Amino acid sequence: MSAIITEKFRQHNADQFVESFTEASNSTYYLFVGKATAYTSSTTGGSDSTPPAPADAPGDTEFYAWDSMLAAKNVTSGDVTYAIPRRNWVNGTIYDMYDDDVSSSSTATSGASNLYDSTFYFMTSDFRVYKVLDNNGGTAYSGAEPTSTSSSPFELGGYVLKYMYAITTSEAAKYLTSDFIPVSNDSTITAAATDGKIESLKITVGTGYTNGTYFAAIYGDGTSAGTSSGGIVRITVASNQIASFGLTAGSDTTIHAGGAGYTFGTVNLASGFTFSDAALSSASAIGGSGGVIEVVISPKNGHGFSSIKELGGHYVMSATTLTQAENDDITTSNDFRQVGLVVDPTTFGTSTVASSTTARQTYVIKASSVSGVFEVDEKITQATTGAVGKVVEYDATLSLLYYQQERFGDFGTNNTTGDHSVFTGTNVITGATSSATFTPSGDSETITLANNNTITTSSGYVNPELQPDSGNIVYLENRKPIQRDSDQTEDIKLIIEF
């Protein structure tokens, strides 16, 4: 049995995801960063130079990610956009053309067996995006960079092009990457589109035709198809061959009238079906043999009606900026190796979906006395409880120790027994590398942090702000280490393909 997941299905899923940010019962999304400790073969697998691929499994995808989560930031509807693969205009490049029949048995010029894998559009240096309606038989573009924003197709560089939309300066700054570009609909181009209008052809030139100009009806299911009121092709024959498709009457075979409503169409070149006039009243035989004029069916609603759907916008990009410490929630003292999206996490200790802009996910302990200086990523242990953890950050000024407990031996569990114990009470905590010691205060107090935000301790301890293992992690990506700094900003872009 053969089956496919169609582009329409992918687009539907992308639409549902985008709508989930704004619909009445909307979802709440958080971008999170995590994994301050290095990847190792004995824990996560892989290494910092070759990060492991996340497994689509509850352990790796959900629980491990929560263990090592450092912080999260709310993703709003203004942080997401539809996206498509980036294809730049470069003169001398061979681009594919839009074709309604790309398949494994009818591949594009590039060899692509799927329209949306083919290079049938490009972006210019001024961020205008064009669809290629004809690529001159698979030859290289040769000419000036297009700038037209006309709603009608135009000929340039030997190609027939259709302007689709332009990326704004703000969109480019927020969403443009080396591999993807944002895609949106231009209302002017949308309004000018005609459903089922024929706007391009594929020509087999044939031989032995009588030179001249001819007209032929486009038959099929279009409005008034097969008559002078429907679609009409203007055929140019030169050197006894049918000229290739273009927009220049007299030198190209052109579309005299595109008609409307076509989902299929044919052009008959036999005697009695070609004429000397556009009214199709004076029959004129074209002669010859081997020539074919194949109608290329436009996408539903016509070229330009929806750039998102026509160009394969089944990708959604989120772009989130982490600005320095962000409400004192996102550490600038350590690196991170993991980013992801979690949907509808709850506030710690509740079943209420979180609503804060940012959330700190490390545990914190306030000291009554400290000896020495703790080092980031070093192992810490607590006397009596046997608790094991790793230092994420140490604030010597406020005597605050930020830490995590990953579920690996000597990271958050006892290396011998596998036991996991939480840090609690006023038992002394010792750094394995620094030999620093830390005695929890045991007090409940509100502490003002470096950027004037506060945390409140309970018996010297502070929990994360989001409930671990709540919500659903729907995206997870392992990266090489990204080091943060107190004056540093990161723009994190995620590409989700449906």
Side-chain angles (χ1 to χ4, degrees), residues 238-255:
S239 300
N240 305 115
Q241 294 181 325
I242 300 173
S244 62
F245 169 69
L247 297 178
T248 306
S251 59
D252 302 327
T253 293
T254 63
I255 295 170

Side-chain angles (χ1 to χ4, degrees), residues 70-415:
L70 294 168
K73 184 173 182 178
N74 182 236
V75 181
T76 70
S77 59
D79 297 325
V80 295
T81 184
Y82 293 98
I84 54 178
R86 180 169 180 164
R87 293 165 183 146
N88 296 328
W89 175 84
V90 178
N91 196 30
T93 299
I94 299 174
Y95 295 96
D96 291 322
M97 61 176 278
Y98 171 84
D99 192 342
D100 64 292
D101 191 31
V102 179
S103 66
S104 57
S105 59
S106 179
T107 60
T109 301
S110 64
S113 59
N114 180 291
L115 173 64
Y116 302 101
D117 292 333
S118 70
T119 59
F120 71 103
Y121 65 84
F122 56 72
M123 179 187 71
T124 61
S125 61
D126 57 4
F127 304 138
R128 293 187 175 100
V129 177
Y130 296 87
K131 182 191 292 186
V132 178
L133 297 187
D134 186 80
N135 65 354
N136 199 12
T139 58
Y141 186 103
S142 180
E145 184 176 30
T147 59
S148 174
T149 58
S150 170
S151 60
S152 299
F154 61 94
E155 197 170 32
L156 189 67
Y159 279 28
V160 177
L161 304 175
K162 172 76 174 181
Y163 169 72
M164 299 296 287
Y165 72 101
I167 300 167
T168 66
T169 301
S170 60
E171 286 174 330
K174 187 175 180 71
Y175 296 114
L176 209 63
T177 76
S178 58
D179 296 316
F180 287 87
I181 61 175
V183 58
S184 58
N185 298 327
D186 183 309
S187 59
T188 300
I189 303 302
T190 293
T194 300
D195 188 20
K197 182 179 181 180
I198 304 300
E199 298 202 65
S200 59
L201 308 166
K202 292 189 290 186
I203 307 295
T204 302
V205 299
T207 58
Y209 291 99
T210 303
N211 293 341
T213 299
Y214 306 87
F215 295 87
I218 301 175
Y219 288 84
D221 63 345
T223 304
S224 301
T227 74
S228 60
S229 299
I232 299 174
V233 175
R234 184 184 191 276
I235 305 166
T236 295
V237 176
S239 300
N240 305 115
Q241 294 181 325
I242 300 173
S244 62
F245 169 69
L247 297 178
T248 306
S251 59
D252 302 327
T253 293
T254 63
I255 295 170
H256 178 76
Y262 283 93
T263 65
F264 71 93
T266 60
V267 176
N268 194 332
L269 299 179
S271 179
F273 291 91
T274 56
F275 301 83
S276 61
D277 62 317
L280 309 183
S281 59
S282 299
S284 179
I286 192 172
S289 62
V292 177
I293 298 178
E294 183 179 347
V295 171
V296 178
I297 299 300
S298 301
K300 186 174 177 60
N301 298 311
H303 286 291
F305 183 81
S306 174
S307 294
I308 295 170
K309 291 179 170 57
E310 293 170 45
L311 302 182
H314 56 260
Y315 301 84
V316 178
M317 180 190 302
S318 73
T320 307
T321 300
L322 305 183
T323 306
Q324 295 150 18
E326 289 260 10
N327 302 320
D328 291 302
D329 284 333
I330 305 175
T331 182
T332 59
S333 299
N334 212 322
D335 49 17
F336 64 88
R337 295 162 175 77
Q338 195 169 73
V339 296
L341 280 179
V342 58
V343 186
D344 294 338
T346 60
T347 301
F348 188 92
T350 78
S351 59
T352 302
V353 173
S355 59
S356 59
T357 301
T358 58
R360 170 191 46 78
Q361 279 308 107
T362 52
Y363 291 84
V364 189
I365 311 175
K366 168 68 173 165
S368 60
S369 65
V370 183
S371 175
V373 179
F374 288 90
E375 301 175 5
V376 296
D377 296 338
E378 75 169 315
K379 173 187 172 182
I380 53 174
T381 55
Q382 186 176 40
T384 305
T385 66
V388 178
K390 291 279 189 173
V391 176
V392 172
E393 177 181 353
Y394 175 59
D395 184 336
T397 302
L398 297 175
S399 299
L400 295 174
L401 184 64
Y402 297 76
Y403 70 96
Q404 291 177 323
Q405 291 180 283
E406 295 182 72
R407 59 189 64 202
F408 306 117
D410 283 344
F411 283 69
T413 65
N414 184 290
N415 197 40

Side-chain angles (χ1 to χ4, degrees), residues 460-474:
Y461 292 80
V462 185
N463 289 315
E465 296 179 326
L466 300 180
Q467 177 63 44
D469 305 325
S470 65
N472 291 296
I473 292 177
V474 296

